[in-house]
Amino acid sequence: MKFRIQRYNPDADSKPFYQDYDVEMGPADRMLLDALVRIKTVDDTLALRRSCREGVCGSDAMNINGKNGLACTTKLVDLKEPVVIKPLPGLPIVRDLIVDMTQFFAQYHSIKPYLVNDEPPPEKERLQSPTEREELDGLYECILCACCSTACPSFWWNPDKFVGPAGLLQAYRFIADSRDKATNERLDDLEDPYRLFRCHTIMNCVDVCPKGLNPTLAIGRIKSMLLARVI
Ligand code: SF4
Ligand code: SF4
Ligand code: FES
């Protein structure tokens, strides 16, 4: 199969460039990650992140034929050749397909991604009814791969001010959790022209999420809650 991969070593190259690879696939190669690992056997200078190869760790997110996705869950048979692979857009390149996720995780941490509850803990655990637990479906499955936030034009322009779809999905995950008692503080924190309201509902985020999640829906629910507070 033919691949065209963006290469860039900031210490050695003046700008990114494409390198072409023509590789013989093995009988067990099914996914793009298999191909990239094979390419590394002929060129071990190619840098990329990966770990679980099961769509769980979120580390091999990249831009594949113009669309963000996970290499390990992208089938080779579905890809048009040459397969053009670039790092996730909008974040600084550390090297080749590895981007600096500092800003992405800074936004994630800014929404306090943990339960806040000052009430004395019960003897065993804070229980939820099945219905309360169901509220978290479509939210807790996020693997923080950053496919969504790095496909979002609003995040490209304001990564330091706009929380981005991944962080906002997580913000709603804690707002929606019956065990969390900081809903008002969380809404106060997001009631800001940049942190939440930079989302213009373009829905790139929904289009690329490899877990089939819907950050736009979560963002809409936060906006509705803010509106309900005003009314
Ligand atoms: S819907 Fe909002 S968060 Fe999603 S890509 Fe568009 S602007 Fe970004
Ligand atoms: S919402 Fe989807 S695309 Fe965004 S970080 Fe989570 S799993 Fe990745
Ligand atoms: S290697 Fe973990 S999600 Fe792809």
Side-chain angles (χ1 to χ4, degrees):
M1 277 187 78
K2 291 184 170 46
F3 297 86
R4 178 164 294 168
I5 304 181
Q6 184 177 303
R7 307 290 312 269
Y8 183 47
N9 177 353
D11 294 333
D13 306 319
S14 58
K15 58 179 186 194
F17 62 96
Y18 284 109
Q19 185 161 354
D20 290 331
Y21 296 92
D22 195 344
V23 262
E24 191 75 26
M25 292 296 134
D29 293 339
R30 296 278 181 278
M31 300 298 184
L32 176 58
L33 184 59
D34 298 326
L36 292 172
V37 170
R38 194 162 290 281
I39 289 170
K40 274 185 77 71
T41 63
V42 292
D43 180 359
D44 65 2
T45 67
L46 178 67
L48 65 128
R49 287 195 185 103
R50 88 277 195 204
S51 180
C52 70
R53 69 144 178 82
E54 296 290 347
V56 174
C57 72
S59 61
D60 64 342
M62 54 190 71
N63 188 272
I64 306 156
N65 279 348
K67 186 173 175 183
N68 292 349
L70 299 175
C72 66
T73 59
T74 300
K75 290 188 189 129
L76 287 169
V77 289
D78 293 338
L79 294 173
K80 194 167 134 286
E81 292 180 58
V83 185
V84 179
I85 302 173
K86 297 196 274 187
L88 288 177
L91 293 176
I93 298 172
V94 175
R95 187 168 153 180
D96 296 337
L97 303 176
I98 298 176
V99 289
D100 181 350
M101 305 273 282
T102 306
Q103 192 65 70
F104 173 80
F105 281 112
Q107 290 295 5
Y108 169 64
H109 289 296
S110 79
I111 60 94
K112 297 195 174 148
Y114 43 82
L115 287 177
V116 177
N117 189 331
D118 294 335
E119 293 169 6
E123 207 170 306
K124 277 195 182 159
E125 58 191 297
R126 298 188 198 274
L127 293 173
Q128 286 188 302
S129 69
T131 315
E132 287 169 339
R133 166 59 190 79
E134 272 170 25
E135 287 294 318
L136 307 182
D137 286 347
L139 303 170
Y140 79 90
E141 301 94 329
C142 172
I143 56 172
L144 295 172
C145 64
C147 283
C148 58
S149 292
T150 58
C152 171
S154 296
F155 190 73
W156 293 340
W157 308 136
N158 295 288
D160 53 335
K161 298 197 195 98
F162 175 49
V163 174
L168 290 169
L169 182 104
Q170 290 296 315
Y172 185 66
R173 178 249 172 275
F174 288 97
I175 289 170
D177 195 313
S178 60
R179 299 163 297 180
D180 188 275
K181 301 298 173 204
T183 299
N184 258 325
E185 291 85 332
R186 292 182 187 279
L187 292 176
D188 286 344
D189 171 60
L190 296 173
E191 195 164 19
D192 175 273
Y194 280 95
R195 281 181 68 67
L196 173 72
F197 288 101
R198 274 292 119 173
C199 169
H200 298 307
T201 326
I202 306 160
M203 295 187 72
N204 283 8
C205 51
V206 182
D207 192 38
V208 297
C209 177
K211 305 301 279 186
L213 307 181
N214 190 332
T216 314
L217 184 66
I219 292 167
R221 292 204 169 137
I222 300 173
K223 286 178 177 169
S224 301
M225 290 178 85
L226 283 169
L227 202 60
R229 284 205 314 181
V230 174
I231 292 168

